[in-house]
Amino acid sequence: MTAPLAAIVYSTGFPIDELMAEVADTLKREAVRLGGVVQHNNGDCMSGCASMALEDLSSGQLFPISEDRGGGSAGCRLDAAGLAAAGAAVTDALSGAVDLVIVNKFGKQEVLGQGLRAEIAAGVVAGLPLLIAVRDDMLAAWSDFAGEDWQRLPPESAAVTDWAMAALRQPA
């Protein structure tokens, strides 16, 4: 039997980062040992955009993953160095004592074979239950990556938490 794998499928504009952080907080209160990362956004960059950071769920450390490129800039603001540092934290968590891995999302970088794609695969291979968010326009690429052995979850806190608790009760 393989470890459970689930994706919260959501639409553009849905506050998925807040949902992922809420689920992580709920699971921590249930004494679930979490590994992985969730994203936090702050509207404090000078151009009016949100600055982004990934929180390591094992240590609480924040890894900034956005660059403030100024008001006239266009294009991706993702800071590859911050993402790489967060990826190392996910890898470290996989070798530690965690019950469940959360990865904030399977997005554009993962579709391109970058981002946290290798860490997601390592989490599955490690035999740990893994929870991730996938925007509906990335679903085909996610399915190509993950295959058919995953569960689709609605973007609802109770449903996601229920899945996680059930995944933890499955025999290894």
Side-chain angles (χ1 to χ4, degrees):
M1 173 190 249
T2 60
L5 175 62
I8 304 165
V9 180
Y10 67 100
S11 299
T12 300
F14 181 83
I16 193 63
D17 299 323
E18 290 85 353
L19 175 68
M20 296 295 277
E22 176 187 340
V23 167
D25 287 343
T26 299
L27 294 172
K28 284 180 183 178
R29 284 192 303 274
E30 295 292 327
V32 176
R33 298 172 301 175
L34 298 176
V37 291
V38 293
Q39 184 171 317
H40 298 282
N41 305 303
N42 294 312
D44 62 358
C45 72
M46 292 175 55
S47 64
C49 59
S51 64
M52 303 174 292
L54 292 178
E55 176 191 356
D56 175 1
L57 294 171
S58 295
S59 69
Q61 183 176 358
L62 291 176
F63 299 96
I65 61 165
S66 59
E67 297 175 338
D68 183 357
R69 298 176 55 208
S73 66
C76 184
R77 302 178 305 109
L78 187 64
D79 177 14
L83 191 57
V90 173
T91 299
D92 288 347
L94 295 176
S95 62
V98 298
D99 301 318
L100 178 90
V101 177
I102 297 176
V103 178
N104 66 308
K105 62 185 70 129
F106 185 88
K108 292 177 186 176
Q109 291 298 309
E110 289 74 23
V111 169
L112 296 171
Q114 300 168 6
L116 298 176
R117 187 178 178 115
E119 290 80 2
I120 296 165
V124 173
V125 170
L128 297 167
L130 190 136
L131 174 66
I132 193 162
V134 180
R135 199 172 62 212
D136 52 12
D137 62 331
M138 304 286 172
L139 201 52
W142 166 253
S143 293
D144 287 346
F145 171 75
E148 297 179 12
D149 196 18
W150 61 278
Q151 183 171 345
R152 182 181 181 136
L153 298 174
E156 300 166 1
S157 182
V160 175
T161 303
D162 288 348
W163 171 86
M165 297 308 288
L168 295 174
R169 289 190 294 270
Q170 289 188 5

